[in-house]
Amino acid sequence: MNFITRKHIPRRTFLRGAGTALALPFLDAMIPAGIRTARAQTPQPPTRFVGIFVPHGAAPGYWVPDKVGSDFTFPFIYEPLEPFRNHVVVTSGLWCQSAEPPPGVTGADHFVAAAYLCADKPKKTTGADIYVGTTIDQLIAQKIGQSTLLPSLQLGVEDPGANSACGEGYSCAYTNSISWQTPSRPLPMEINPQVVFERLFGDGGTPEERDARREAQQSILDSITGSLARLEIDVGYNARIRLEQYLEDIRDLERRMKIAAQASTETPDMPVPYGVPESFDEHIRLQFDLLALAFQADITRVSTLLYARDLTSRVYPESGTTVSFHGGSHHAGDPGRIAEYARINRYHVSTLAHFIEKLSQIPEGDSTLLDHSLVLYGTNMGDSNQHLHYDVPHVLIGGASGRMAGNRHLAYPSKEVPTGNLLLSVLDAYGIHRESIGDSTGRLDGLIA
């Protein structure tokens, strides 16, 4: 109908009702009719960014591909990403110098997750004078996130209060957040999917309204049916199908979070806040599903996710081993224990693959959300048994809106190329051209077109 009338729906359209403002995914009806007839003139969707940190390195011998260049064999740990080969770039040989203590200073290492996205060595302090560096997610958010509801979204899956080990003279702020808006301002990671959902899609108004909605098991969407009915008049058949699927995904998330919240009222194995799933598997997938919806609706374009805090003793039953994360990372070079640890690493990547698949299935324009995203997944250790910070694993997934070609293994000489070079190159993908960031000495040639 809107093609005939030459009307179009604004990109920032919200469905409103009962304290709720629900953003919509990108629809053809948001493109003016004249432009829709000439696709070449259609504004390009934004390139989303996700920075994901996993502590404790990776099992030696299980993550480096068998050859450099294209058409390599995916190693055991990264094998869950093989279906997305054409969107994957594996790097090896990088040196995370920023995780090593400065000369003459002791006690960095496990307590510097904050260095991951800025390549700066944190100032050693336990006081309020924390200082590390502005992280690339925030530099990107300053460039592309200011026109969205949330300039950036910080997610986590582990309660900072469940592991109080910071120690060795470094503030807990350095291990509690990987996203720093300024060198002295860390952004908290939200671990509760219910809170994330309400930030994205509305909180139902006053506390009384929220309580009433939950008690009546009323979906947020139930309050916007009038707006939805009016909107469906103005969009075509294909847009209606996509819109209905989008709303169904949100209903499914609400259902799953309600179950998770009820389960968390039982005595948990570890202290978790109300509403947070006890199962890591359910928790991480909920966070990823929420993030995919946030990208789809253009509520945010930038996010970070902290898989675990350093020194965590968490066990992942779905990995096939009962070894704890930190305990498994200290494998003493024993082949059997290294293989056990590799199972944990592979399991983590399999949950990442769930997110990547989600992005690949969401259409956007003539391609997908995965084509318009760049996901950086990595750590700041190589062989964690010896606490080595060279030969650290990093993998990039996504098309970056045509700026990054996949199906590549880029190998660099050991202890020569700092991770700051990788961060500097990622910034180039967003039109942010700096001379340096952190410990960078240049760019990774050929990574970004």
Side-chain angles (χ1 to χ4, degrees):
M1 176 177 176
N2 98 308
F3 178 80
I4 298 173
T5 62
R6 306 188 68 81
K7 296 179 181 178
H8 73 280
I9 300 170
R11 179 67 185 91
R12 302 304 300 158
T13 296
F14 289 82
L15 299 178
R16 301 183 183 276
T20 297
L22 176 63
L24 296 174
F26 184 83
L27 303 171
D28 284 344
M30 292 171 177
I31 305 173
I35 296 179
R36 284 203 308 279
T37 60
R39 277 281 181 175
Q41 300 179 44
T42 301
Q44 290 299 307
T47 303
R48 286 73 164 188
F49 174 76
V50 189
I52 301 174
F53 178 76
V54 186
H56 306 158
Y62 286 86
W63 68 270
V64 179
D66 60 337
K67 68 175 185 177
V68 178
S70 62
D71 300 324
F72 55 87
T73 300
F74 272 77
F76 179 77
I77 289 173
Y78 288 145
E79 197 172 17
L81 296 175
E82 202 280 336
F84 315 102
R85 170 186 291 275
N86 290 332
H87 287 88
V88 174
V89 175
V90 177
T91 68
S92 60
L94 295 178
W95 187 9
C96 192
Q97 294 173 298
S98 54
E100 300 174 344
V105 177
T106 60
D109 205 57
H110 266 314
F111 314 105
V112 292
Y116 173 62
L117 291 176
C118 67
D120 267 314
K121 294 181 185 295
K123 176 183 178 180
K124 185 176 182 180
T125 180
T126 57
D129 56 334
I130 52 176
Y131 196 93
V132 55
T134 301
T135 50
I136 63 167
D137 62 297
Q138 290 307 295
L139 295 175
I140 295 170
Q142 291 170 17
K143 178 75 179 288
I144 68 169
Q146 301 308 305
S147 61
T148 58
L149 179 65
L150 300 177
S152 63
L153 181 63
Q154 292 71 45
L155 302 175
V157 286
E158 191 167 83
D159 178 15
N163 176 8
S164 59
C166 300
E168 296 195 26
Y170 280 81
S171 168
C172 288
Y174 295 133
T175 192
N176 285 347
S177 179
I178 60 172
S179 181
W180 290 63
Q181 193 171 51
T182 71
S184 58
R185 185 179 180 186
L187 297 176
M189 319 301 284
E190 180 54 60
I191 69 168
N192 191 331
Q194 181 68 43
V195 174
V196 175
F197 182 83
E198 290 176 349
R199 287 184 65 193
L200 296 176
F201 302 113
D203 64 0
T206 67
E208 291 76 16
E209 289 173 328
R210 292 196 295 270
D211 289 342
R213 175 169 60 82
R214 291 193 181 99
E215 186 172 342
Q217 300 182 12
Q218 177 187 5
S219 167
I220 284 178
L221 301 179
D222 291 340
S223 66
I224 58 166
T225 51
S227 297
L228 177 59
R230 290 190 295 272
L231 177 66
E232 288 183 331
I233 296 175
D234 289 330
V235 299
Y237 173 78
N238 290 336
R240 283 199 297 273
I241 295 299
R242 286 188 58 199
L243 184 59
E244 289 170 3
Q245 181 60 55
Y246 174 69
L247 301 182
E248 184 58 37
D249 286 346
I250 295 175
R251 287 189 188 277
D252 182 60
L253 278 169
E254 285 190 297
R255 177 187 60 80
R256 289 161 58 192
M257 284 186 289
K258 181 176 183 295
I259 294 172
Q262 290 174 338
S264 295
T265 61
E266 301 174 1
T267 303
D269 294 332
M270 58 181 289
V272 291
Y274 176 81
V276 176
E278 295 174 44
S279 162
F280 172 88
D281 198 73
E282 174 68 6
H283 196 174
I284 189 70
R285 292 171 191 270
L286 271 174
Q287 297 288 60
F288 273 141
D289 288 354
L290 286 165
L291 181 54
L293 282 171
F295 280 173
Q296 184 179 8
D298 205 27
I299 295 172
T300 193
R301 300 170 180 175
V302 180
S303 182
T304 51
L305 193 151
L306 181 61
Y307 256 66
R309 298 176 75 251
D310 276 295
L311 298 176
T312 181
S313 58
R314 191 157 199 171
V315 173
Y316 307 93
E318 294 84 358
S319 69
T321 179
T322 57
V323 174
S324 71
F325 192 10
H326 180 236
S329 73
H330 288 284
H331 45 71
D334 178 82
R337 292 172 64 182
I338 292 175
E340 286 288 290
Y341 188 53
R343 293 185 183 184
I344 297 175
N345 301 147
R346 178 188 172 97
Y347 167 66
H348 285 157
V349 173
S350 73
T351 59
L352 169 67
H354 166 81
F355 177 57
I356 301 304
E357 181 177 18
K358 199 85 174 177
L359 295 182
S360 73
Q361 294 177 344
I362 298 175
E364 186 170 62
D366 295 328
S367 50
T368 68
L369 261 181
L370 183 58
D371 293 310
H372 297 136
S373 298
L374 181 58
V375 180
L376 173 62
Y377 177 92
T379 184
N380 61 5
M381 283 190 185
D383 185 350
S384 54
N385 182 62
Q386 303 180 57
H387 283 216
L388 301 180
H389 297 278
Y390 53 86
D391 299 336
V392 294
H394 285 77
V395 61
L396 300 102
I397 312 105
S401 298
R403 298 183 184 91
M404 193 182 79
N407 189 25
R408 290 187 292 163
H409 168 214
L410 305 179
Y412 300 94
S414 181
K415 298 186 74 172
E416 290 188 17
V417 182
T419 54
N421 290 15
L422 170 62
L423 302 184
L424 195 63
S425 297
V426 168
L427 289 177
D428 284 342
Y430 295 87
I432 304 170
H433 306 298
R434 296 166 58 110
E435 292 186 3
S436 64
I437 182 169
D439 60 16
S440 67
T441 59
R443 288 170 165 78
L444 298 184
D445 292 335
L447 177 64
I448 301 297

